[in-house]
Amino acid sequence: MLIAAGAPAHAAGMQAELLVEGDLRGHHSHGLQRLPVLLERMRRGLIDPAAHPSYRWASPAFALVDGHHGFGPVIGYDVVDTLLAREQPVAVAAIRNGNHLGMLAPYVERTASAGAVGVILTTSEALVHPWGGRRPMVGTNPIGIAVPTQDEPFVLDMSTGAISRGKVLHHALVGEPLQPGWAVDAAGEPTTDAAKAVDGAVSPFGGPKGYALGLAFELLVASLTGTETGERVLGTLDTEHPSTKGDLFMVLRPAALDAGFRARMGIYLDEVRASPLARGNRRIDVPGDRARRERTERLASGVPIDDEVWKAAQDLLS
């Protein structure tokens, strides 16, 4: 469908793969649900599916990147590969004029597979209310981190909101309630009604600490990329505005300092997994474990897709 809408096959494949990965890993808010918005943004010229990023190196280790409004995955993977190719102990890219990256895990996993630590910060529309407020003023502003080990990498991919906006929309679409503490309605009152939360705001995870981290990431990304903040960030969820958010990619090579770090990190994570269980729990996971299990199971048995999401995708063919 992306190719039929004008995307080159290579770019369409990268974007489609990220959508499938979202559903494979159980993050349906970043899966097939995103396809209608992507296609409409292409139709309106807000995404240039043939675009490739360009680089201006402010130093050997720091690049200012213009995504030229291409697909987020096309930009993201190109940036990861470019930073890895620099072979610097630290390499950083500050990206503007990109589009929605989707999950951050696949990008930092790519870095970890090359033996380096990957860190990504990105901003979103103002969807999270400040601690003590009710109006959405801060992005969900996720962070991705991958640290290689001798086995599977440690992979963190989380937003600083209690829930992503995509998950709120997904719950509203399928009529599922939210968990307490995830969101407030338009009046600022806590709600578990996803439809009411759509008109309200996402709550910061961890109360004031999540709010502080989200605000810190917003300032860090915006200051280094020269992109917008707060209510001026647009274009990852809507079909009307060019994307004005920023992305910050970092590749760190601890092997340049300590060739044995991968084994030491893996030993520590295994110690965490093997530590005593709390009552009623069957296992201790570290970030990345659950998504890998989910992906393996779904590759074997299939990916469940909600009827409403599948119908919306089928309707695009008519």
Side-chain angles (χ1 to χ4, degrees):
M1 293 177 72
L2 292 167
I3 292 171
H10 177 66
M14 294 176 78
Q15 178 63 75
E17 181 181 356
L18 258 291
L19 297 180
V20 172
E21 280 295 327
D23 287 320
L24 274 175
R25 301 181 191 212
H27 297 296
H28 297 291
S29 59
H30 288 65
L32 187 62
Q33 176 181 317
R34 291 255 174 190
L35 183 60
V37 169
L38 279 170
L39 290 170
E40 184 62 16
R41 287 183 65 78
M42 288 174 63
R43 189 185 72 80
R44 295 191 174 200
L46 300 171
I47 293 177
D48 179 356
H52 290 276
S54 59
Y55 297 78
R56 180 166 66 86
W57 291 93
S59 76
F62 186 85
L64 298 168
V65 181
D66 191 327
H68 301 290
H69 304 289
F71 281 134
V74 172
I75 299 166
Y77 283 133
D78 192 272
V79 166
V80 168
D81 292 344
T82 299
L83 293 182
L84 286 169
R86 301 297 285 188
E87 297 187 347
Q88 298 277 342
V90 177
V92 180
I95 307 166
R96 60 187 302 159
N97 297 325
N99 272 291
H100 190 252
L101 290 169
M103 291 183 305
L104 301 185
Y107 306 103
V108 290
E109 286 170 350
R110 193 181 187 103
T111 303
S113 69
V117 172
V119 180
I120 298 175
L121 301 174
T122 184
T123 52
S124 79
E125 287 90 342
L127 301 169
V128 178
H129 63 80
W131 184 248
R134 60 183 175 131
R135 180 173 175 174
M137 296 295 296
V138 184
T140 52
N141 299 350
I143 180 171
I145 299 175
V147 179
T149 74
Q150 78 273 32
D151 296 312
E152 297 288 356
F154 168 95
V155 182
L156 172 71
D157 182 354
M158 59 170 276
S159 79
T160 52
I163 186 175
S164 72
R165 171 72 171 185
K167 286 186 178 178
V168 173
L169 294 173
H170 181 77
H171 279 68
L173 181 66
V174 302
E176 292 182 359
L178 303 175
Q179 290 187 18
W182 278 3
V184 299
D185 61 21
E189 297 297 325
T191 184
T192 59
D193 187 328
K196 291 182 178 179
V198 169
D199 297 322
V202 172
S203 296
F205 89 91
K209 293 184 178 181
Y211 159 59
L213 276 177
L215 195 57
F217 292 169
E218 185 122 4
L219 295 170
L220 181 61
V221 172
S223 63
L224 292 175
T225 62
T227 52
E228 295 289 359
T229 55
E231 296 174 312
R232 291 173 292 278
V233 179
L234 302 166
T236 69
L237 293 169
D238 66 68
T239 58
E240 301 174 1
H241 303 96
S243 177
T244 58
K245 56 98 175 176
D247 310 304
L248 192 65
F249 280 52
M250 292 168 268
V251 169
L252 315 172
R253 294 182 180 272
L257 304 174
D258 180 0
F261 87 96
R262 295 178 70 165
R264 291 189 296 107
M265 299 305 100
I267 290 169
Y268 170 56
L269 294 180
D270 285 342
E271 289 172 346
V272 172
R273 294 183 181 102
S275 62
L277 294 172
R279 182 180 301 173
N281 289 276
R282 298 173 55 194
R283 66 164 64 92
I284 294 173
D285 285 336
V286 300
D289 289 350
R290 185 212 57 80
R292 281 189 287 267
R293 282 199 306 273
E294 192 91 13
R295 189 178 191 276
T296 299
E297 291 169 2
R298 292 185 173 194
L299 282 171
S301 60
V303 181
I305 300 292
D306 289 303
D307 291 341
E308 293 83 356
V309 174
W310 185 249
K311 182 180 185 301
Q314 294 297 306
D315 289 345
L316 294 170
L317 294 169
S318 59

